[in-house]
Amino acid sequence: MDASTLMNGIRQGDQRALARGISWVENQHPQGLELLKLTGKKVPLIGITGAPGAGKSSLVNALVSHWVSKGYRVAILAIDPSSPFHLGALLGDRLRMPGLFLEESVFIRSIAARGSLGGLSASIMEVCDLVQEGPFDRIIVETVGVGQSEIEIAGLADTTLVLTVPEGGDDVQALKSGVMEIADVFAVNKCDRPGSEAMLRHLRELAHTHAQSSWEVPVIGTVATQGEGIEALDEALESHRKSGHISAKKQHLLMEKAYQLIQRNRMRGVHKEILKKQLASAQTKPGFNLYDFVNNYDA
Ligand SMILES: Nc1nc2c(ncn2[C@@H]2O[C@H](COP(=O)(O)OP(=O)(O)OP(=O)(O)O)[C@@H](O)[C@H]2O)c(=O)[nH]1
Ligand SMILES: [Mg+2]
């Protein structure tokens, strides 16, 4: 199949076509680039991040159910930060999202953060570009908030939702040291647990002191498993989308995107195993110098 035929399928909402397109892009199939050249549509992309077990998938589930009831079509991308072929994680999320799978209006895909330099890979950006061609009203990307990934999700998403829990003492420290800058909206999930009022109050004060002229991060209490606070959360996400605060991040996003793609293009043809062999042979020659070797290297 050629790229434009597949793209037609994707635009018409054929989920199998989309799944195939994503595979092309992820596996750097020769037609993948042709497919990407046809992209350009923009659908609001919401990134959701937070500590392992904070309730991201549960919240996505509740939010997506809410959107589906409003008639939205939604794509969910779950980024597996640890291993590329961790079926357990995907199945786990599938089980936690009963019903949604059967919904025609919801597309779910787990994607691996492989090939990245400690963060989201170029292919994830490409997958997002491709998914935006589908007939979706919202795209949601779930990523576990570890290391750089949460910073990078902020570069990728139009709106970044940071999730925390009432007992998240460590989270509060993290918030003070910069996560506040990446959050557009905050949710304190598991508000059925003790300490939620104090946590909400604390975060609201923090949000207020960090507020920028164009946007003060709203802090929403939720109980994802019971769908509590979901409407308020939806409203907060919506008002961020309409705030115009979004545009300041776009240039940064584009730069990050270009940077990673340039990096990947430059490294094309450089394979570690081959490099190892070439080095081994170069080292046997008299006068071997690593800097000369690197300088003259032609993949
Ligand atoms: N009490 C309570 N439990 C919740 C709530 N939301 C989620 N949980 C539970 O918390 C556990 C983790 O929820 P997940 O939605 O899988 O959390 P996650 O952040 O997606 O987890 P990872 O993807 O593994 O990082 C599950 O057992 C949920 O049922 C909530 O609002 N209240
Ligand atoms: Mg999850």
Side-chain angles (χ1 to χ4, degrees):
M1 190 184 293
D2 69 354
S4 66
T5 312
L6 194 65
M7 185 56 95
N8 282 340
I10 292 171
R11 289 185 177 142
Q12 281 158 21
D14 178 352
Q15 297 206 355
R16 288 176 64 182
L18 181 54
R20 187 160 177 194
I22 291 174
S23 298
W24 279 10
V25 167
E26 280 196 316
N27 302 323
Q28 298 194 26
H29 185 283
Q31 288 286 312
L33 187 59
E34 295 311 308
L35 201 59
L36 287 168
K37 284 184 187 163
L38 301 171
T39 65
K41 195 174 138 227
K42 291 291 162 219
V43 173
L45 201 152
I46 292 121
I48 172 164
T49 185
K56 297 176 293 297
S57 298
S58 309
L59 200 71
V60 167
N61 189 11
L63 198 57
V64 170
S65 304
H66 179 68
W67 283 339
V68 168
S69 74
K70 282 167 65 168
Y72 287 7
R73 300 180 74 167
V74 187
I76 305 168
L77 300 173
I79 297 171
D80 172 4
S82 48
S83 62
F85 303 106
H86 184 34
L87 256 143
L90 174 62
L91 280 174
D93 277 336
R94 282 187 185 209
L95 292 176
R96 278 177 223 141
M97 294 183 183
L100 287 186
F101 248 89
L102 307 172
E103 295 275 1
E104 270 202 356
S105 42
V106 180
F107 174 84
I108 303 184
R109 171 89 179 214
S110 187
I111 43 177
R114 80 192 135 175
S116 69
L117 299 161
L120 304 183
S121 66
S123 84
I124 288 165
M125 296 180 222
E126 294 169 349
V127 168
C128 287
D129 281 338
L130 187 61
V131 173
Q132 280 174 319
E133 292 298 316
F136 301 113
D137 301 290
R138 294 289 180 276
I139 297 169
I140 191 153
V141 181
E142 173 188 338
T143 177
V144 180
V146 284
Q148 284 294 302
S149 66
E150 56 195 7
I151 313 279
E152 291 178 30
I153 194 71
L156 184 70
D158 298 312
T159 301
T160 303
L161 169 63
V162 176
L163 193 60
T164 185
V165 290
E167 58 269 40
D170 292 347
D171 286 9
V172 175
Q173 285 312 313
L175 299 179
K176 283 182 179 155
S177 64
V179 179
M180 205 68 189
E181 268 91 69
I182 69 155
D184 297 311
V185 175
F186 250 119
V188 177
N189 189 42
K190 307 198 184 182
C191 267
D192 50 334
R193 291 198 176 165
S196 59
E197 282 306 319
M199 186 68 165
L200 283 168
R201 213 166 34 241
H202 183 70
L203 283 180
R204 279 175 186 146
E205 277 164 21
L206 232 119
H208 192 66
T209 43
H210 281 75
Q212 296 172 4
S213 55
S214 59
W215 185 249
E216 179 173 331
V217 175
V219 181
I220 315 290
T222 59
V223 184
T225 41
Q226 285 158 43
E228 271 174 41
I230 300 306
E231 218 167 304
L233 186 62
D234 185 25
E235 279 165 23
L237 295 171
E238 205 49 22
S239 49
H240 178 261
R241 192 175 71 79
K242 291 178 185 152
S243 69
H245 182 70
I246 215 167
S247 57
K249 276 198 325 200
K250 284 285 179 193
Q251 287 308 317
H252 182 76
L253 163 69
L254 209 62
M255 180 278 289
E256 284 289 343
K257 218 168 178 172
Y259 186 90
Q260 290 212 26
L261 293 171
I262 291 167
Q263 192 171 42
R264 204 179 68 185
N265 281 344
R266 297 241 160 115
M267 292 306 283
R268 191 159 280 159
V270 181
H271 301 287
K272 284 188 176 173
E273 277 312 310
I274 296 169
L275 191 58
K276 203 166 154 186
K277 286 189 190 125
Q278 290 166 332
L279 269 171
S281 119
Q283 269 176 311
T284 62
K285 295 188 180 117
F288 168 78
N289 177 283
L290 183 64
Y291 300 95
D292 278 337
F293 175 88
V294 171
N295 219 20
N296 299 322
Y297 192 76
D298 194 7

